[in-house]
Amino acid sequence: MGSVNSAVTNKQKVKLKTKKNRKIIQNWQLYIFILPALLYFIIFHYVPMYGIQIAFKDYVPSLGFWEVNGLVSNTLNDFLILIISGIY
């Protein structure tokens, strides 16, 4: 009995998938219309995040951006000491 129910649900899943694919193909113009806005957000909002990472790394120009060690431990330690000590 369990296998019959799972077969029915698999058929329903396939049917839903084909309906979604058919709708995507029918409305391809809408996806093209959304593409410039999507590219705008990717280019101007996500790509600059790599540059912002320099603020949190021990950046040495001669090594390049990708060769830098992770977070600057000295800066993080200094920040934690400042907060914990109560000077701030």
Side-chain angles (χ1 to χ4, degrees), residues 22-54:
R22 197 173 308 135
K23 284 187 177 187
I24 289 172
I25 292 171
Q26 287 175 349
N27 297 319
W28 66 271
Q29 296 95 347
L30 293 176
Y31 292 102
I32 297 296
F33 190 68
I34 292 172
L35 188 63
L38 184 66
L39 288 175
Y40 169 79
F41 279 102
I42 290 171
I43 291 170
F44 293 108
H45 292 190
Y46 287 108
V47 173
M49 290 297 170
Y50 291 111
I52 291 172
Q53 289 179 8
I54 292 174

Side-chain angles (χ1 to χ4, degrees), residues 56-86:
F56 300 102
K57 293 190 177 198
D58 191 13
Y59 181 69
V60 178
S62 62
L63 292 177
F65 183 72
W66 298 109
E67 298 296 324
V68 175
N69 294 334
L71 286 173
V72 177
S73 60
N74 293 338
T75 306
L76 186 58
N77 287 336
D78 292 343
F79 176 73
L80 291 175
I81 289 169
L82 181 70
I83 297 299
I84 293 171
S85 68

